[in-house]
Amino acid sequence: MKAIVIDQYGGKEQLKETEFEKPVPGEKQVIVKLHATSINPIDWKLREGYLKEMIPFDFPIILGWDAAGIVDEVGEKVTDFKAGDRVFARPETTNRGTYAEYTAVDQHLLARIPDNISFEEAACVPLAGLTAWQCLFDFGNIKKGEKVLIHAGAGGVGTFAVQLAKEAGAYVATTAGTHNVEFLKSLGADEVIDYKKQDFEKVLKDYDFVLDSMGGEIQKKSFTVLKEGGRLASIVSNPDQEIASQKNIKSGNVWLDPNGEQLAKMADLLEQNKLKVVIGHRFPLSEEGIKEAHALSESHHAKGKIVIEIR
Ligand SMILES: NC(=O)c1ccc[n+]([C@@H]2O[C@H](COP(=O)([O-])OP(=O)(O)OC[C@H]3O[C@@H](n4cnc5c(N)ncnc54)[C@H](OP(=O)(O)O)[C@@H]3O)[C@@H](O)[C@H]2O)c1
């Protein structure tokens, strides 16, 4: 099968198109014939070697951890899926990722793709969508009427977080550049802080929850806008527990845990048109396509999701 791999850590030039053996399913795994995958910042962070201590992989590595396609083959103990099913997943983080024509996925991580959703749309959901879900609901336990701030609302995680928080009945503020203000209002945000013109720390106050995808100064300032007893979930770094304890704030660094049941709940929202996928950019599964997609993701100004079409 065709796959894009890296044989060592480094820049985009390490991405190489190659022929790779097709995976065989474990007892409780299915082989998905991929029709689409998507790019997440973890892809290029791993490529650069920034995560090598945390995730020590052997080479070669097939990057990519969003799968959407058709079940091609099932393991002996797979009961819930059969060949031909349309499925999507955030597979386990292994060195056999999704920049490929086929990938193996544990059955419990899969969910069915609703009929009204394309493979490309489906491929954008698992990693970014589950991250937003777990921050808002598992960590943040957000409730109807609460005030929620989502940083970087126009990004992969942000576009899902804004919509999921609105769907949960929260009042949603978000931060973005000038060119994304109208877009985020159309996505449902109640208030958009243009970070080029305004300092969110001076505009917002008494918030119940912040989703921090920026870290550094932005994370520090986020404590100011939270009320006593608020919550702060960061997906990039450990929040300062000293500052948190001064205001009795629950804060932590959330790491996505792949979860098929939660993905199925998001599939229901997609089916009912209560959640939509924002595809900002499309590239083909080729060495050049993945290189361009990584460059765009590394710019930190991609809009919505970057999808990879696999034909
Ligand atoms: N812990 C986990 O499990 C986990 C899971 C997923 C992602 N992450 C991490 O979370 C981060 C975000 O991921 P992502 O996929 O959402 O990234 P992304 O899609 O690449 O984010 C791009 C967005 O960030 C916005 N942005 C850039 N600078 C900004 C600023 N100063 N203020 C507000 N918005 C700004 C851009 O909007 P403008 O063009 O308007 O500036 C752009 O739309 C990454 O570092 C990623 O590695 C962690």
Side-chain angles (χ1 to χ4, degrees):
M1 67 171 185
K2 177 166 86 176
I4 313 298
V5 305
I6 56 167
D7 288 310
Q8 58 182 27
Y9 294 121
K12 286 178 283 298
E13 67 285 355
Q14 297 305 332
L15 293 158
K16 299 272 184 305
E17 186 167 328
T18 183
E19 274 301 308
F20 216 84
E21 70 277 14
K22 187 182 163 192
V24 287
E27 280 185 337
K28 293 185 180 171
Q29 285 188 319
V30 313
I31 300 304
V32 179
K33 182 175 182 350
L34 293 163
H35 284 243
T37 181
S38 88
I39 303 288
N40 294 284
I42 189 180
D43 302 4
W44 53 263
K45 290 181 183 177
L46 206 138
R47 188 205 73 217
E48 285 283 356
Y50 299 151
L51 305 174
K52 64 184 168 195
E53 260 133 54
M54 195 176 163
I55 309 174
F57 281 157
D58 291 332
F59 292 101
I61 299 169
I62 303 177
L63 301 165
W65 292 280
D66 268 324
I70 294 177
V71 174
D72 181 65
E73 215 183 315
V74 300
E76 285 163 31
K77 294 193 175 160
V78 169
T79 50
D80 300 344
F81 296 93
K82 59 179 189 325
D85 288 347
R86 297 172 84 236
V87 292
F88 62 151
R90 164 42 163 111
E92 283 297 353
T93 317
T94 73
N95 65 351
R96 295 290 177 265
T98 55
Y99 294 177
E101 290 177 306
Y102 296 88
T103 199
V105 185
D106 299 342
Q107 129 169 284
H108 72 280
L109 300 181
L110 289 163
R112 285 189 170 71
I113 302 175
D115 289 342
N116 59 327
I117 300 300
S118 67
F119 289 118
E120 286 78 15
E121 289 170 312
C124 295
V125 180
L127 196 153
L130 285 171
T131 301
W133 183 284
Q134 292 175 9
C135 287
L136 294 169
F137 304 126
D138 295 349
F139 185 94
N141 197 18
I142 66 159
K143 301 266 183 329
K144 193 173 174 183
E146 285 195 319
K147 286 162 70 176
V148 165
L149 168 61
I150 311 289
H151 281 296
V157 175
T159 46
F160 288 110
V162 166
Q163 295 180 79
L164 289 171
K166 273 305 286 178
E167 180 57 27
Y171 176 89
V172 179
T174 188
T175 55
T178 315
H179 57 293
N180 278 322
V181 171
E182 287 311 314
F183 158 63
L184 281 165
K185 285 185 182 160
S186 74
L187 209 56
D190 295 292
E191 200 169 338
V192 184
I193 313 298
D194 177 347
Y195 67 78
K196 294 191 173 149
K197 297 181 182 156
Q198 290 172 293
D199 184 347
F200 72 93
E201 188 189 26
K202 300 203 171 98
V203 183
L204 308 175
K205 63 173 189 182
D206 291 336
Y207 269 64
D208 296 283
F209 175 79
V210 177
L211 198 171
D212 163 44
S213 54
M214 303 296 299
E217 274 304 300
I218 290 180
Q219 185 185 91
K220 259 195 198 140
K221 289 178 173 186
S222 294
F223 281 110
T224 315
V225 308
L226 280 167
K227 65 182 188 194
E228 278 275 327
R231 292 92 71 201
L232 184 150
S234 176
I235 53 173
V236 286
S237 61
N238 281 317
D240 187 324
Q241 291 305 320
E242 223 176 280
I243 306 180
S245 66
Q246 284 160 15
K247 280 178 86 174
N248 189 27
I249 285 165
K250 175 189 170 190
S251 70
N253 188 1
V254 173
W255 270 94
L256 159 69
D257 193 16
N259 186 313
E261 283 171 25
Q262 290 176 344
L263 191 56
K265 288 183 186 163
M266 265 190 284
D268 289 342
L269 294 176
L270 290 162
E271 188 165 30
Q272 297 162 39
N273 292 315
K274 290 181 175 167
L275 181 64
K276 72 174 188 181
V277 178
V278 179
I279 297 180
H281 319 267
R282 294 171 185 263
F283 296 92
L285 180 75
S286 65
E287 194 172 299
E288 224 25 64
I290 297 283
K291 281 179 180 166
E292 285 180 35
H294 273 217
L296 179 59
S297 178
E298 286 175 68
S299 77
H300 204 175
H301 290 288
K303 179 174 177 176
K305 289 290 303 175
I306 304 170
V307 78
I308 302 296
E309 300 170 329
I310 305 175
R311 305 217 188 275

